[in-house]
Amino acid sequence: MSTPERLIESTRELLWERGYVGTSPKAIQQHAGAGQGSMYHHFKGKPDLALTAIRRTAEEMRATAEGVLTGPGTPYDRVEAYLRRERDVLRGCPLGRLTMDPDVIASEELRAPVDETLDWLRERLAGIVEEGREQGQFVPSLDAEEIAATIVATVQGGYVLARASGSPAPFDTAVRGLLSLLRPAR
Amino acid sequence: MSTPERLIESTRELLWERGYVGTSPKAIQQHAGAGQGSMYHHFKGKPDLALTAIRRTAEEMRATAEGVLTGPGTPYDRVEAYLRRERDVLRGCPLGRLTMDPDVIASEELRAPVDETLDWLRERLAGIVEEGREQGQFVPSLDAEEIAATIVATVQGGYVLARASGSPAPFDTAVRGLLSLLRPAR
DNA sequence: GTCTATATGGGGATAGAC
DNA sequence: GTCTATCCCCATATAGAC
């Protein structure tokens, strides 16, 4: 892997693990096995490198979600597949965690990919829920966009509960609860 | 307010705003209008001060939740009151945000109050949901602990969505979605 | 492209005077 | 109790040699 590539990947991992505030250029360099000058040759500085890393993480997350959501089955099945998809629960969401970072929130540029991706995800889910509603699979009184927001929030909040307790269990519990609420009447 | 008191309150605010990693002793001192020596006279160091601050925030959060959950009305009403309670949505949850802090998660001691409080909240909500279920207000097939986890997760995740978008709206949308799923059939 | 040198300020704390 | 001095290391670069 090229040096810039290693720098980007290292930044992605450190941002995931320690956030923006907790990640220093020096730590990135060491993780990437690159020198000081090398990093500043390829990138303008920490914000520049972080922006590149965040954009890539956003794209990847979108692709992963799209992969699951385009699968087979009823709308409920696809929502379930999304919710039950394998995750590194204790590491949390590499994008969602950035919303707790003051420097990310303070920067329009750094926040944008996070915002756009979560927004896209909600719309994508809303479309699926709406589809299910039209097929009579869900109660007609439900609002697809609201349900989509609830789904994404449950996932993001599930990470919080899991990390607080030091165990993935609460994440799964929250997901099971949501699925039981969504489950079409039989 | 006494100096130790001002230091604790300043720490609470800075932890809420910037997290543990993003909060320096110097920033705390300045915010509290206290000198270097003063801070180290009253507290052993940053972790000690943070622990005191986090414990207080945890107690306060528990008291606030208890206040809402002990209110009048049906179980559904009380869950709704909890979900719709006024919040400083864009600031996020002062405890939940700490779960994204690597140094907090790495410390048993700092994580404990966060874990215990969210755990207590889930159990408290589970009791209310179970009550509603026994009264036939909720579908009998629901699992109270699962629903409680979903409720807490929706709130914690709602903060994430709100901060990502820079607006409280997604939080409210997610809450409305959850309430529509919980709403007793009429 | 990568390296080393250098710079300024902050993080986190201890020591001892007042 | 509070203040100032001092410490060492890290954060975040810039400059210029190789």
Side-chain angles (χ1 to χ4, degrees):
Chain A
M1 208 166 24
S2 70
T3 299
E5 204 52 34
R6 272 181 293 121
L7 284 165
I8 296 168
E9 290 303 314
S10 295
T11 304
R12 297 216 302 148
E13 285 192 31
L14 289 170
L15 284 182
W16 192 357
E17 206 174 300
R18 308 199 34 91
Y20 183 88
V21 166
T23 298
S24 70
K26 174 177 289 194
I28 294 171
Q29 291 149 205
Q30 288 173 343
H31 190 282
Q36 195 104 307
S38 192
M39 175 187 139
Y40 283 101
H41 172 74
H42 295 290
F43 298 92
K44 279 195 277 289
K46 176 175 163 176
D48 180 30
L49 188 42
L51 180 58
T52 307
I54 292 173
R55 282 186 175 149
R56 181 174 296 185
T57 296
E59 273 174 41
E60 202 183 274
M61 187 173 141
R62 196 183 286 223
T64 303
E66 182 59 32
V68 175
L69 292 174
T70 313
T74 66
Y76 177 87
D77 290 340
R78 287 185 280 153
V79 168
E80 176 168 18
Y82 171 72
L83 284 168
R84 292 207 198 266
R85 154 199 148 207
E86 191 165 333
R87 296 161 193 277
D88 210 336
V89 172
L90 284 180
R91 293 191 81 188
C93 173
L95 278 190
R97 72 110 55 236
L98 296 174
T99 62
M100 294 304 143
D101 216 301
D103 290 9
V104 170
I105 292 306
S107 154
E108 273 307 303
E109 234 185 346
L110 292 179
R111 187 173 59 81
V114 180
D115 184 20
E116 286 158 14
T117 305
L118 289 174
D119 217 65
W120 168 85
L121 180 58
R122 280 196 287 148
E123 285 174 24
R124 188 73 179 78
L125 280 166
I128 295 174
V129 171
E130 178 59 23
E131 200 186 317
R133 213 175 61 97
E134 284 167 3
Q135 297 174 9
Q137 199 176 14
F138 299 132
V139 189
S141 68
L142 295 184
D143 177 305
E145 298 205 357
E146 288 179 3
I147 302 303
T150 306
I151 293 169
V152 180
T154 298
V155 168
Q156 293 295 328
Y159 288 127
V160 171
L161 298 185
R163 286 175 62 91
S165 78
S167 150
F171 181 100
D172 297 325
T173 305
V175 162
R176 280 200 306 278
L178 180 58
L179 284 171
S180 71
L181 291 172
L182 287 171
R183 197 133 37 218
R186 252 164 277 265
Chain B
M1 206 163 28
S2 68
T3 297
E5 205 52 33
R6 271 180 295 121
L7 284 165
I8 296 168
E9 289 303 314
S10 295
T11 304
R12 296 215 303 148
E13 284 192 33
L14 289 170
L15 284 182
W16 193 357
E17 207 173 300
R18 308 200 35 92
Y20 183 88
V21 166
T23 297
S24 70
K26 175 177 289 194
I28 294 170
Q29 292 150 205
Q30 288 172 343
H31 190 283
Q36 195 104 305
S38 192
M39 175 187 139
Y40 283 101
H41 172 74
H42 294 289
F43 298 93
K44 279 195 275 291
K46 176 174 162 176
D48 180 30
L49 188 40
L51 180 58
T52 307
I54 292 173
R55 283 186 175 149
R56 182 174 296 185
T57 295
E59 274 174 41
E60 201 182 276
M61 187 175 140
R62 195 183 287 222
T64 303
E66 183 58 33
V68 175
L69 292 174
T70 314
T74 65
Y76 177 87
D77 290 340
R78 286 184 282 154
V79 168
E80 176 169 18
Y82 171 72
L83 284 168
R84 292 209 198 266
R85 158 199 145 205
E86 191 166 333
R87 295 161 194 278
D88 210 336
V89 171
L90 284 180
R91 294 190 80 188
C93 173
L95 278 189
R97 74 110 52 235
L98 296 174
T99 62
M100 294 305 144
D101 215 302
D103 291 7
V104 170
I105 293 305
S107 154
E108 274 305 305
E109 234 186 347
L110 292 179
R111 186 172 59 82
V114 180
D115 184 19
E116 288 158 13
T117 305
L118 289 174
D119 217 65
W120 168 84
L121 180 58
R122 281 196 288 148
E123 285 172 26
R124 188 73 180 79
L125 280 166
I128 295 174
V129 170
E130 178 58 24
E131 201 187 316
R133 211 175 62 96
E134 285 166 3
Q135 297 175 9
Q137 198 175 14
F138 300 131
V139 189
S141 68
L142 295 184
D143 177 304
E145 296 205 357
E146 288 180 3
I147 302 303
T150 306
I151 293 170
V152 180
T154 299
V155 168
Q156 293 295 327
Y159 288 127
V160 171
L161 298 184
R163 285 176 63 91
S165 78
S167 149
F171 182 100
D172 297 325
T173 305
V175 161
R176 280 199 305 278
L178 179 58
L179 284 171
S180 71
L181 291 172
L182 287 171
R183 197 132 37 217
R186 254 165 277 266

